[in-house]
Amino acid sequence: MASILRVNTLTDASSNNSIATSFVAGGSAKSHITFDSETGSVSTRVSLNASSLTDNAEGNFTHNLSSGFQSNTKFVLSSSGTDGYNFLTNLYTSGTITSSAIPIQTRALDGSLNDTTYAMFVFHGDLA
C-alpha cells in the first residue's frame, strides 16, 4: 500500500536549516554529471539521475538519464569544463535530443572537439 506524505517545509534534525518543499521540487537540479574523458575512456566522477554517459567520439557524448524530462525541449543546461586552461562545453544541437538522452560536447578554445579532464553539466527542468 502506497502512502503520501504532505509537508510544506523540510527541516534538518537540528532544526537549523529549513526549506520549502516547493523550492525543492521546482528549483533543484534534476540531473548533473561530472566526468573525465581524457584518460582514453569516460570516467564519471559524480552524478545525479544519470544512467550512463556514452562516449560517441572525441569531445562528443550522450548523457543518458535514469528519469527523463517531460519533453526534449523543457530543460535548461548549464556547463563548465577545464583542462588546465579555459574550455568550452555545450549542448550538441545537431544531435538527437530526447527527453532521456541529451547530446553534449566539450571543446578546446579554438572550437575543436576535444576530450577534457574535468567537465560538468547540470540540467534543470520538469521530470516526466
Side-chain angles (χ1 to χ4, degrees), residues 11-83:
T11 303
D12 68 10
S14 62
S15 295
N16 290 327
N17 300 296
S18 298
I19 191 164
T21 54
S22 60
F23 180 82
V24 173
S28 301
K30 301 305 189 280
S31 179
H32 68 78
I33 189 162
T34 302
F35 62 91
D36 176 352
S37 60
E38 200 166 53
T39 59
S41 63
V42 176
S43 172
T44 301
R45 296 173 187 260
V46 293
S47 66
L48 169 71
N49 189 22
S51 61
S52 65
L53 181 68
T54 305
D55 187 353
N56 302 314
E58 176 100 8
N60 187 334
F61 311 92
T62 302
H63 175 59
N64 301 293
L65 303 171
S66 301
S67 298
F69 287 100
Q70 284 184 356
S71 77
N72 65 341
T73 60
K74 294 190 175 183
F75 67 88
V76 175
L77 161 73
S78 62
S79 61
S80 67
T82 183
D83 199 19

Side-chain angles (χ1 to χ4, degrees), residues 37 55 57-61 104-107 113-116:
S37 60
D55 187 353
E58 176 100 8
N60 187 334
F61 311 92
I104 54 179
Q105 295 181 320
T106 57
R107 296 177 175 273
L113 290 172
N114 200 338
D115 287 344
T116 180

